[in-house]
Amino acid sequence: MDVDGVFSGGGVRAIAFIGALKVAEQKNINFKRTAGTSAGAIIAAFVAAGYTSDEIKSLLHEVDLREFLDPRAISVAFPFMKWLMLYWKLGLYKGKKLEHWVEEKLADKGIKTFADLEEGSLRIIASDITNGRLIVLPDDLERYGILPEKFKIAKAVRMSASIPYFFDPIKLYDATGKKNVFVDGGVLSNFPIWLFQDDKKPQQRPVLGFQLQPSQFEEKPNNITNAITLFHGLFDTMMDAHDARHISEAHSADIVFIPVQQISMINFSLSNEVIDQLTDFGKESTEKFLRTWRHYPSNKTTKITLKKSSTL
């Protein structure tokens, strides 16, 4: 069956999506369109490019995630300088290695720009903090005088994955020469399921979302007791409040909730064993979900009408 897939942000926790994709493949679920934020944008881009779950898992086993933490040379020589550089560069790490890795892997599938994909098949969320607005890539690039079909998908993914103060923000110059600064899409929409859900229009196909946290109807409230818990509460609210307004109980019936908060989203030191555990957890959560998902063919009930026989 064909679906539209949405993948939430969540840093390295998004590895759990690999297991979810494996189950989808086994159940003959095909993603016609994908959308994602931050790490979810990486998964969405790989799926749109034609990668299978096994191929994505192999890519992660082949790379040391710590390679994506690319500090500046001066920070390596003088560790204390990284905090001073944070003031000027706005990020601890450059993020260029992550972008180059995504670009290289997409190129292996013959994908470079949005023109290499079917129009509308991939949408990525980023946050324009210069103008204070959420943008959808590639749709909103024309606002900046940029041709969407010529824009690199890896650059869009990098924009979406610019975790504030962790990776450098991305700067784009529009047609007038104005500099615009972009950070992680999760700042404004960490789970953009609203991209494919419109209560005013009939859906072409079911929407299947994957979110790296419990259902909002099951989540416990934040316990604010000090400055640290206040910061966590502010950050969680910033990332989730916008999307929560779009997720009714009916919509939540189309979301696979994968609660993996026990792993830090910026823990780039994961072993292959932990990667496999995250993958298995995503697989188990998705298998459980599909057993009762209303849109899955085997779960639908068939209404049988008995006609009266003309003879006894």
Side-chain angles (χ1 to χ4, degrees), residues 57-292:
K57 189 173 182 179
S58 293
L59 294 180
L60 291 178
H61 277 170
E62 293 167 3
V63 68
D64 184 342
L65 297 180
R66 290 171 294 187
E67 293 179 10
F68 298 148
L69 305 181
D70 46 356
R72 294 165 186 83
I74 191 171
S75 298
V76 175
F78 306 98
F80 68 91
M81 286 294 293
K82 71 177 182 179
W83 302 110
L84 182 60
M85 295 304 295
L86 174 62
Y87 180 83
W88 295 107
K89 297 295 185 179
L90 308 181
L92 289 173
Y93 304 102
K94 293 181 287 186
K96 290 183 178 179
K97 286 192 176 181
L98 173 62
E99 180 179 343
H100 292 163
W101 180 77
V102 173
E103 184 174 6
E104 178 184 288
K105 300 312 172 186
L106 290 177
D108 288 343
K109 291 289 187 180
I111 304 297
K112 184 176 181 180
T113 69
F114 282 97
D116 297 321
L117 296 176
E118 185 178 344
E119 185 176 357
S121 62
L122 174 63
R123 302 169 87 183
I124 292 170
I125 299 296
S127 301
D128 177 352
I129 58 174
T130 297
N131 300 291
R133 63 191 178 199
L134 177 153
I135 69 165
V136 180
L137 302 166
D139 306 34
D140 295 331
L141 285 170
E142 292 182 347
R143 287 187 178 187
Y144 305 89
I146 299 172
L147 293 175
E149 61 270 20
K150 293 185 177 295
F151 200 76
K152 289 183 178 180
I153 295 173
K155 177 66 69 177
V157 168
R158 173 69 181 83
M159 289 167 67
S160 184
S162 298
I163 302 171
Y165 300 114
F166 192 77
F167 287 124
D168 289 356
I170 292 294
K171 302 176 182 68
L172 289 184
Y173 292 85
D174 60 24
T176 67
K178 174 186 174 184
K179 180 176 70 175
N180 301 277
V181 179
F182 299 85
V183 298
D184 198 300
V187 170
L188 296 177
S189 183
N190 197 48
F191 183 52
I193 197 166
W194 47 269
L195 277 171
F196 296 144
Q197 289 182 330
D198 188 342
D199 292 333
K200 297 179 181 179
K201 297 180 181 179
Q203 292 180 187
Q204 292 183 320
R205 62 191 69 87
V207 176
L208 181 56
F210 299 89
Q211 192 169 23
L212 296 169
Q213 63 181 42
S215 165
Q216 67 189 73
F217 304 104
E218 299 175 2
E219 272 195 301
K220 297 179 180 179
N222 291 312
N223 183 24
I224 310 300
T225 58
N226 54 50
I228 295 176
T229 55
L230 174 62
F231 175 80
H232 284 296
L234 286 170
F235 195 76
D236 289 344
T237 301
M238 175 186 70
M239 294 182 67
D240 300 326
H242 173 276
D243 299 319
R245 288 179 61 88
H246 294 271
I247 302 176
S248 65
E249 289 200 52
H251 289 157
S252 68
D254 296 326
I255 300 171
V256 181
F257 294 99
I258 310 173
V260 287
Q261 291 96 326
Q262 67 272 22
I263 293 178
S264 169
M265 64 184 292
I266 56 173
N267 182 2
F268 284 75
S269 300
L270 299 181
S271 64
N272 283 344
E273 181 182 4
V274 175
I275 289 175
D276 290 342
Q277 289 174 353
L278 275 170
T279 301
D280 289 342
F281 192 55
K283 182 177 180 181
E284 292 166 6
S285 298
T286 306
E287 287 175 337
K288 181 179 179 181
F289 170 84
L290 289 178
R291 293 189 195 112
T292 58

Side-chain angles (χ1 to χ4, degrees), residues 8-83:
S8 77
V12 298
R13 301 169 184 167
I15 292 170
F17 291 148
I18 298 173
L21 291 173
K22 182 67 174 180
V23 175
E25 292 165 359
Q26 293 172 341
K27 301 294 185 180
N28 295 316
I29 294 174
N30 176 55
F31 295 96
K32 292 291 289 183
R33 297 185 298 176
T34 60
T37 296
S38 197
I42 299 175
I43 298 296
F46 282 170
V47 172
Y51 273 100
T52 66
S53 60
D54 287 340
E55 288 174 329
I56 298 174
K57 189 173 182 179
S58 293
L59 294 180
L60 291 178
H61 277 170
E62 293 167 3
V63 68
D64 184 342
L65 297 180
R66 290 171 294 187
E67 293 179 10
F68 298 148
L69 305 181
D70 46 356
R72 294 165 186 83
I74 191 171
S75 298
V76 175
F78 306 98
F80 68 91
M81 286 294 293
K82 71 177 182 179
W83 302 110

